[in-house]
Amino acid sequence: MNFIRERRRAFLLLLSVAFLLGFAAVSGRASAGQGGLVWLSWPREHVSLLAGATLIVLAAAALWGLTKSPLRTALVILLLFLGLPMAWLAMISASYSSGERELKAQDAPGRDDRRMILVHYDSFDPASCLYVHQDSPLGERAWQVACFMGEEGDAIRDAVWTSPERVRMTVATGATTGESHEVAILPSGQPEKVLLYGSQICPGDMRGDCQDP
């Protein structure tokens, strides 16, 4: 009886762990895109790893708890067949992910709930990106304002607030150095437009088609 009781507890514990991992994966996926909560950045960047881990833990729960089910073996094999490659690929991808360096952080004038952050990403395709972070009832949210990448020399050299609602950045694109762009920030913290690659301007939600400036 004690063995059965311990097996049941282990089964429920594994189900609880799988639920937490799955909830973290869903939360990370739901927070993707503009305005994502900063405290969900890790789940957002590791959705595949969390999903794979969820399937693996579910396989362990099925192996441990469904001792009398005729579907036990098939279910365990299916869960591991899906979960192991997903987790492995996610870990490989994470090992090649770029490091990031925060170059500048500055609060908006007269506001302590809004700040801009300039970040440089070191990778095979380096990038420098400017974000606006703004507090909300659920926590701090991040909005991408601009991202310059792809070719050596393309970068945001500096960024400053010209007012609490406008940010100006100085960029270098190829042979051109010192070009300035200014973007208005809406009350929600969302930028009025998003500059990408230094040659295109996209809608602030980044879900529409890019258009030439």
mmCIF file of all heavy atoms in Angstrom, residues 89-124:
data_model
loop_
_atom_site.group_PDB
_atom_site.id
_atom_site.type_symbol
_atom_site.label_atom_id
_atom_site.label_comp_id
_atom_site.label_asym_id
_atom_site.label_seq_id
_atom_site.Cartn_x
_atom_site.Cartn_y
_atom_site.Cartn_z
ATOM 1 N N LEU A 89 16.906 20.373 -29.857
ATOM 2 C CA LEU A 89 17.091 21.459 -30.816
ATOM 3 C C LEU A 89 17.063 22.821 -30.127
ATOM 4 O O LEU A 89 17.806 23.740 -30.504
ATOM 5 C CB LEU A 89 16.011 21.386 -31.896
ATOM 6 C CG LEU A 89 16.124 20.215 -32.873
ATOM 7 C CD1 LEU A 89 14.906 20.168 -33.797
ATOM 8 C CD2 LEU A 89 17.403 20.312 -33.691
ATOM 9 N N ALA A 90 16.205 22.964 -29.128
ATOM 10 C CA ALA A 90 16.127 24.229 -28.395
ATOM 11 C C ALA A 90 17.424 24.506 -27.643
ATOM 12 O O ALA A 90 17.906 25.641 -27.604
ATOM 13 C CB ALA A 90 14.945 24.203 -27.428
ATOM 14 N N MET A 91 18.018 23.478 -27.054
ATOM 15 C CA MET A 91 19.285 23.668 -26.337
ATOM 16 C C MET A 91 20.423 23.982 -27.307
ATOM 17 O O MET A 91 21.292 24.806 -27.008
ATOM 18 C CB MET A 91 19.611 22.416 -25.506
ATOM 19 C CG MET A 91 18.715 22.253 -24.283
ATOM 20 S SD MET A 91 19.238 20.914 -23.180
ATOM 21 C CE MET A 91 18.879 19.481 -24.198
ATOM 22 N N ILE A 92 20.437 23.332 -28.470
ATOM 23 C CA ILE A 92 21.454 23.633 -29.480
ATOM 24 C C ILE A 92 21.317 25.074 -29.941
ATOM 25 O O ILE A 92 22.302 25.820 -30.065
ATOM 26 C CB ILE A 92 21.336 22.670 -30.671
ATOM 27 C CG1 ILE A 92 21.677 21.242 -30.255
ATOM 28 C CG2 ILE A 92 22.241 23.133 -31.817
ATOM 29 C CD1 ILE A 92 23.101 21.068 -29.786
ATOM 30 N N SER A 93 20.076 25.492 -30.195
ATOM 31 C CA SER A 93 19.833 26.864 -30.637
ATOM 32 C C SER A 93 20.261 27.868 -29.572
ATOM 33 O O SER A 93 20.850 28.906 -29.880
ATOM 34 C CB SER A 93 18.348 27.050 -30.971
ATOM 35 O OG SER A 93 18.063 28.381 -31.317
ATOM 36 N N ALA A 94 19.982 27.562 -28.303
ATOM 37 C CA ALA A 94 20.351 28.467 -27.213
ATOM 38 C C ALA A 94 21.866 28.582 -27.081
ATOM 39 O O ALA A 94 22.392 29.647 -26.739
ATOM 40 C CB ALA A 94 19.743 27.982 -25.903
ATOM 41 N N SER A 95 22.587 27.501 -27.371
ATOM 42 C CA SER A 95 24.046 27.543 -27.259
ATOM 43 C C SER A 95 24.683 28.440 -28.310
ATOM 44 O O SER A 95 25.798 28.934 -28.133
ATOM 45 C CB SER A 95 24.628 26.131 -27.375
ATOM 46 O OG SER A 95 24.433 25.608 -28.687
ATOM 47 N N TYR A 96 23.957 28.654 -29.436
ATOM 48 C CA TYR A 96 24.471 29.523 -30.495
ATOM 49 C C TYR A 96 23.854 30.913 -30.459
ATOM 50 O O TYR A 96 24.129 31.730 -31.328
ATOM 51 C CB TYR A 96 24.197 28.896 -31.864
ATOM 52 C CG TYR A 96 25.107 27.737 -32.189
ATOM 53 C CD1 TYR A 96 24.661 26.430 -32.032
ATOM 54 C CD2 TYR A 96 26.402 27.941 -32.639
ATOM 55 C CE1 TYR A 96 25.488 25.355 -32.327
ATOM 56 C CE2 TYR A 96 27.239 26.883 -32.936
ATOM 57 C CZ TYR A 96 26.774 25.586 -32.786
ATOM 58 O OH TYR A 96 27.594 24.532 -33.064
ATOM 59 N N SER A 97 23.017 31.171 -29.471
ATOM 60 C CA SER A 97 22.360 32.475 -29.403
ATOM 61 C C SER A 97 23.383 33.560 -29.071
ATOM 62 O O SER A 97 24.408 33.307 -28.443
ATOM 63 C CB SER A 97 21.251 32.471 -28.352
ATOM 64 O OG SER A 97 21.784 32.230 -27.066
ATOM 65 N N SER A 98 23.061 34.765 -29.515
ATOM 66 C CA SER A 98 24.006 35.868 -29.357
ATOM 67 C C SER A 98 23.984 36.423 -27.937
ATOM 68 O O SER A 98 22.958 36.420 -27.266
ATOM 69 C CB SER A 98 23.667 36.990 -30.342
ATOM 70 O OG SER A 98 22.359 37.477 -30.086
ATOM 71 N N GLY A 99 25.155 36.908 -27.512
ATOM 72 C CA GLY A 99 25.204 37.639 -26.263
ATOM 73 C C GLY A 99 24.734 39.064 -26.487
ATOM 74 O O GLY A 99 24.678 39.547 -27.616
ATOM 75 N N GLU A 100 24.385 39.730 -25.427
ATOM 76 C CA GLU A 100 23.915 41.103 -25.562
ATOM 77 C C GLU A 100 24.598 41.993 -24.535
ATOM 78 O O GLU A 100 24.929 41.564 -23.435
ATOM 79 C CB GLU A 100 22.399 41.178 -25.412
ATOM 80 C CG GLU A 100 21.858 40.741 -24.062
ATOM 81 C CD GLU A 100 20.342 40.853 -24.010
ATOM 82 O OE1 GLU A 100 19.675 40.083 -24.707
ATOM 83 O OE2 GLU A 100 19.849 41.712 -23.249
ATOM 84 N N ARG A 101 24.818 43.247 -24.962
ATOM 85 C CA ARG A 101 25.446 44.237 -24.092
ATOM 86 C C ARG A 101 24.567 45.481 -24.052
ATOM 87 O O ARG A 101 24.174 46.001 -25.087
ATOM 88 C CB ARG A 101 26.835 44.617 -24.623
ATOM 89 C CG ARG A 101 27.858 43.519 -24.523
ATOM 90 C CD ARG A 101 29.224 43.958 -25.053
ATOM 91 N NE ARG A 101 29.229 44.118 -26.509
ATOM 92 C CZ ARG A 101 29.423 45.252 -27.135
ATOM 93 N NH1 ARG A 101 29.586 46.385 -26.434
ATOM 94 N NH2 ARG A 101 29.447 45.320 -28.459
ATOM 95 N N GLU A 102 24.231 45.900 -22.850
ATOM 96 C CA GLU A 102 23.456 47.128 -22.692
ATOM 97 C C GLU A 102 24.403 48.318 -22.807
ATOM 98 O O GLU A 102 25.298 48.490 -21.991
ATOM 99 C CB GLU A 102 22.733 47.128 -21.360
ATOM 100 C CG GLU A 102 21.808 48.322 -21.155
ATOM 101 C CD GLU A 102 21.058 48.277 -19.849
ATOM 102 O OE1 GLU A 102 20.327 47.281 -19.626
ATOM 103 O OE2 GLU A 102 21.217 49.216 -19.043
ATOM 104 N N LEU A 103 24.193 49.127 -23.833
ATOM 105 C CA LEU A 103 25.070 50.260 -24.084
ATOM 106 C C LEU A 103 24.625 51.528 -23.373
ATOM 107 O O LEU A 103 25.453 52.352 -22.992
ATOM 108 C CB LEU A 103 25.160 50.535 -25.591
ATOM 109 C CG LEU A 103 25.651 49.368 -26.461
ATOM 110 C CD1 LEU A 103 25.662 49.776 -27.926
ATOM 111 C CD2 LEU A 103 27.038 48.918 -26.024
ATOM 112 N N LYS A 104 23.312 51.678 -23.206
ATOM 113 C CA LYS A 104 22.817 52.908 -22.601
ATOM 114 C C LYS A 104 21.411 52.684 -22.059
ATOM 115 O O LYS A 104 20.610 51.973 -22.655
ATOM 116 C CB LYS A 104 22.794 54.043 -23.643
ATOM 117 C CG LYS A 104 22.408 55.403 -23.089
ATOM 118 C CD LYS A 104 22.514 56.484 -24.161
ATOM 119 C CE LYS A 104 22.226 57.866 -23.587
ATOM 120 N NZ LYS A 104 22.377 58.933 -24.615
ATOM 121 N N ALA A 105 21.120 53.281 -20.933
ATOM 122 C CA ALA A 105 19.777 53.265 -20.356
ATOM 123 C C ALA A 105 19.501 54.651 -19.784
ATOM 124 O O ALA A 105 20.339 55.209 -19.076
ATOM 125 C CB ALA A 105 19.659 52.202 -19.261
ATOM 126 N N GLN A 106 18.350 55.190 -20.117
ATOM 127 C CA GLN A 106 18.050 56.562 -19.701
ATOM 128 C C GLN A 106 16.552 56.731 -19.486
ATOM 129 O O GLN A 106 15.747 56.353 -20.345
ATOM 130 C CB GLN A 106 18.545 57.542 -20.766
ATOM 131 C CG GLN A 106 18.422 59.015 -20.389
ATOM 132 C CD GLN A 106 18.919 59.917 -21.504
ATOM 133 O OE1 GLN A 106 18.323 59.991 -22.576
ATOM 134 N NE2 GLN A 106 20.029 60.608 -21.247
ATOM 135 N N ASP A 107 16.181 57.301 -18.346
ATOM 136 C CA ASP A 107 14.768 57.582 -18.074
ATOM 137 C C ASP A 107 14.290 58.735 -18.943
ATOM 138 O O ASP A 107 15.055 59.642 -19.286
ATOM 139 C CB ASP A 107 14.566 57.945 -16.603
ATOM 140 C CG ASP A 107 14.742 56.754 -15.677
ATOM 141 O OD1 ASP A 107 14.686 55.607 -16.178
ATOM 142 O OD2 ASP A 107 14.957 56.962 -14.471
ATOM 143 N N ALA A 108 13.006 58.715 -19.280
ATOM 144 C CA ALA A 108 12.412 59.838 -20.001
ATOM 145 C C ALA A 108 12.378 61.057 -19.081
ATOM 146 O O ALA A 108 12.187 60.924 -17.862
ATOM 147 C CB ALA A 108 11.005 59.491 -20.463
ATOM 148 N N PRO A 109 12.566 62.263 -19.633
ATOM 149 C CA PRO A 109 12.565 63.477 -18.795
ATOM 150 C C PRO A 109 11.267 63.629 -18.012
ATOM 151 O O PRO A 109 10.171 63.575 -18.576
ATOM 152 C CB PRO A 109 12.720 64.608 -19.823
ATOM 153 C CG PRO A 109 13.334 63.969 -21.018
ATOM 154 C CD PRO A 109 12.791 62.566 -21.060
ATOM 155 N N GLY A 110 11.405 63.785 -16.708
ATOM 156 C CA GLY A 110 10.246 64.007 -15.862
ATOM 157 C C GLY A 110 9.395 62.781 -15.602
ATOM 158 O O GLY A 110 8.314 62.894 -15.016
ATOM 159 N N ARG A 111 9.866 61.595 -16.010
ATOM 160 C CA ARG A 111 9.089 60.370 -15.802
ATOM 161 C C ARG A 111 10.002 59.288 -15.249
ATOM 162 O O ARG A 111 11.131 59.121 -15.704
ATOM 163 C CB ARG A 111 8.465 59.884 -17.121
ATOM 164 C CG ARG A 111 7.511 60.863 -17.746
ATOM 165 C CD ARG A 111 6.827 60.258 -18.962
ATOM 166 N NE ARG A 111 6.078 59.061 -18.631
ATOM 167 C CZ ARG A 111 5.029 58.630 -19.347
ATOM 168 N NH1 ARG A 111 4.630 59.294 -20.429
ATOM 169 N NH2 ARG A 111 4.394 57.536 -19.005
ATOM 170 N N ASP A 112 9.486 58.556 -14.255
ATOM 171 C CA ASP A 112 10.257 57.444 -13.722
ATOM 172 C C ASP A 112 9.643 56.097 -14.117
ATOM 173 O O ASP A 112 10.085 55.046 -13.658
ATOM 174 C CB ASP A 112 10.376 57.534 -12.201
ATOM 175 C CG ASP A 112 9.014 57.569 -11.515
ATOM 176 O OD1 ASP A 112 7.976 57.442 -12.216
ATOM 177 O OD2 ASP A 112 8.986 57.727 -10.282
ATOM 178 N N ASP A 113 8.596 56.135 -14.982
ATOM 179 C CA ASP A 113 7.948 54.910 -15.419
ATOM 180 C C ASP A 113 8.266 54.571 -16.875
ATOM 181 O O ASP A 113 7.757 53.594 -17.413
ATOM 182 C CB ASP A 113 6.431 55.008 -15.263
ATOM 183 C CG ASP A 113 5.820 56.083 -16.169
ATOM 184 O OD1 ASP A 113 6.549 57.023 -16.539
ATOM 185 O OD2 ASP A 113 4.626 55.956 -16.508
ATOM 186 N N ARG A 114 9.113 55.366 -17.516
ATOM 187 C CA ARG A 114 9.441 55.153 -18.930
ATOM 188 C C ARG A 114 10.941 55.356 -19.113
ATOM 189 O O ARG A 114 11.501 56.336 -18.649
ATOM 190 C CB ARG A 114 8.651 56.107 -19.820
ATOM 191 C CG ARG A 114 9.009 56.024 -21.295
ATOM 192 C CD ARG A 114 8.212 57.023 -22.119
ATOM 193 N NE ARG A 114 6.805 56.649 -22.221
ATOM 194 C CZ ARG A 114 5.902 57.340 -22.923
ATOM 195 N NH1 ARG A 114 6.267 58.460 -23.547
ATOM 196 N NH2 ARG A 114 4.664 56.936 -22.979
ATOM 197 N N ARG A 115 11.589 54.422 -19.800
ATOM 198 C CA ARG A 115 13.029 54.521 -20.034
ATOM 199 C C ARG A 115 13.358 53.927 -21.396
ATOM 200 O O ARG A 115 12.626 53.081 -21.906
ATOM 201 C CB ARG A 115 13.806 53.799 -18.943
ATOM 202 C CG ARG A 115 13.550 52.325 -18.841
ATOM 203 C CD ARG A 115 13.890 51.751 -17.478
ATOM 204 N NE ARG A 115 13.121 52.406 -16.434
ATOM 205 C CZ ARG A 115 11.879 52.039 -16.100
ATOM 206 N NH1 ARG A 115 11.271 51.060 -16.753
ATOM 207 N NH2 ARG A 115 11.242 52.670 -15.157
ATOM 208 N N MET A 116 14.438 54.393 -21.972
ATOM 209 C CA MET A 116 14.917 53.783 -23.213
ATOM 210 C C MET A 116 16.181 53.003 -22.916
ATOM 211 O O MET A 116 16.983 53.374 -22.037
ATOM 212 C CB MET A 116 15.187 54.849 -24.282
ATOM 213 C CG MET A 116 16.361 55.750 -23.998
ATOM 214 S SD MET A 116 16.721 56.815 -25.404
ATOM 215 C CE MET A 116 18.161 57.699 -24.759
ATOM 216 N N ILE A 117 16.370 51.904 -23.648
ATOM 217 C CA ILE A 117 17.528 51.039 -23.457
ATOM 218 C C ILE A 117 18.102 50.707 -24.820
ATOM 219 O O ILE A 117 17.395 50.220 -25.708
ATOM 220 C CB ILE A 117 17.140 49.748 -22.702
ATOM 221 C CG1 ILE A 117 16.598 50.087 -21.308
ATOM 222 C CG2 ILE A 117 18.334 48.811 -22.595
ATOM 223 C CD1 ILE A 117 16.146 48.888 -20.519
ATOM 224 N N LEU A 118 19.394 50.985 -24.989
ATOM 225 C CA LEU A 118 20.105 50.671 -26.223
ATOM 226 C C LEU A 118 20.929 49.414 -25.998
ATOM 227 O O LEU A 118 21.730 49.348 -25.062
ATOM 228 C CB LEU A 118 21.003 51.844 -26.626
ATOM 229 C CG LEU A 118 21.832 51.698 -27.900
ATOM 230 C CD1 LEU A 118 20.948 51.451 -29.111
ATOM 231 C CD2 LEU A 118 22.695 52.939 -28.108
ATOM 232 N N VAL A 119 20.724 48.402 -26.853
ATOM 233 C CA VAL A 119 21.357 47.092 -26.669
ATOM 234 C C VAL A 119 22.098 46.702 -27.938
ATOM 235 O O VAL A 119 21.606 46.930 -29.056
ATOM 236 C CB VAL A 119 20.300 46.014 -26.341
ATOM 237 C CG1 VAL A 119 20.964 44.646 -26.180
ATOM 238 C CG2 VAL A 119 19.540 46.383 -25.072
ATOM 239 N N HIS A 120 23.279 46.125 -27.766
ATOM 240 C CA HIS A 120 24.032 45.576 -28.892
ATOM 241 C C HIS A 120 24.065 44.057 -28.760
ATOM 242 O O HIS A 120 24.386 43.528 -27.697
ATOM 243 C CB HIS A 120 25.461 46.122 -28.937
ATOM 244 C CG HIS A 120 26.269 45.568 -30.072
ATOM 245 N ND1 HIS A 120 26.117 46.016 -31.362
ATOM 246 C CD2 HIS A 120 27.215 44.593 -30.108
ATOM 247 C CE1 HIS A 120 26.947 45.349 -32.149
ATOM 248 N NE2 HIS A 120 27.618 44.480 -31.416
ATOM 249 N N TYR A 121 23.751 43.357 -29.853
ATOM 250 C CA TYR A 121 23.752 41.892 -29.881
ATOM 251 C C TYR A 121 24.970 41.414 -30.658
ATOM 252 O O TYR A 121 25.166 41.778 -31.819
ATOM 253 C CB TYR A 121 22.478 41.358 -30.525
ATOM 254 C CG TYR A 121 21.224 41.710 -29.764
ATOM 255 C CD1 TYR A 121 20.457 42.829 -30.107
ATOM 256 C CD2 TYR A 121 20.799 40.929 -28.696
ATOM 257 C CE1 TYR A 121 19.314 43.156 -29.402
ATOM 258 C CE2 TYR A 121 19.653 41.255 -27.983
ATOM 259 C CZ TYR A 121 18.919 42.369 -28.342
ATOM 260 O OH TYR A 121 17.783 42.685 -27.638
ATOM 261 N N ASP A 122 25.793 40.593 -30.016
ATOM 262 C CA ASP A 122 26.979 40.022 -30.659
ATOM 263 C C ASP A 122 26.627 38.663 -31.238
ATOM 264 O O ASP A 122 26.272 37.738 -30.512
ATOM 265 C CB ASP A 122 28.118 39.866 -29.644
ATOM 266 C CG ASP A 122 28.567 41.204 -29.088
ATOM 267 O OD1 ASP A 122 28.835 42.103 -29.891
ATOM 268 O OD2 ASP A 122 28.619 41.343 -27.852
ATOM 269 N N SER A 123 26.697 38.530 -32.547
ATOM 270 C CA SER A 123 26.397 37.276 -33.218
ATOM 271 C C SER A 123 27.025 37.301 -34.597
ATOM 272 O O SER A 123 27.766 38.217 -34.952
ATOM 273 C CB SER A 123 24.877 37.068 -33.322
ATOM 274 O OG SER A 123 24.309 38.043 -34.175
ATOM 275 N N PHE A 124 26.729 36.257 -35.408
ATOM 276 C CA PHE A 124 27.214 36.251 -36.785
ATOM 277 C C PHE A 124 26.620 37.412 -37.575
ATOM 278 O O PHE A 124 27.186 37.864 -38.556
ATOM 279 C CB PHE A 124 26.848 34.926 -37.461
ATOM 280 C CG PHE A 124 27.530 33.742 -36.839
ATOM 281 C CD1 PHE A 124 26.805 32.819 -36.110
ATOM 282 C CD2 PHE A 124 28.901 33.564 -36.974
ATOM 283 C CE1 PHE A 124 27.434 31.721 -35.537
ATOM 284 C CE2 PHE A 124 29.539 32.477 -36.400
ATOM 285 C CZ PHE A 124 28.805 31.554 -35.690
#
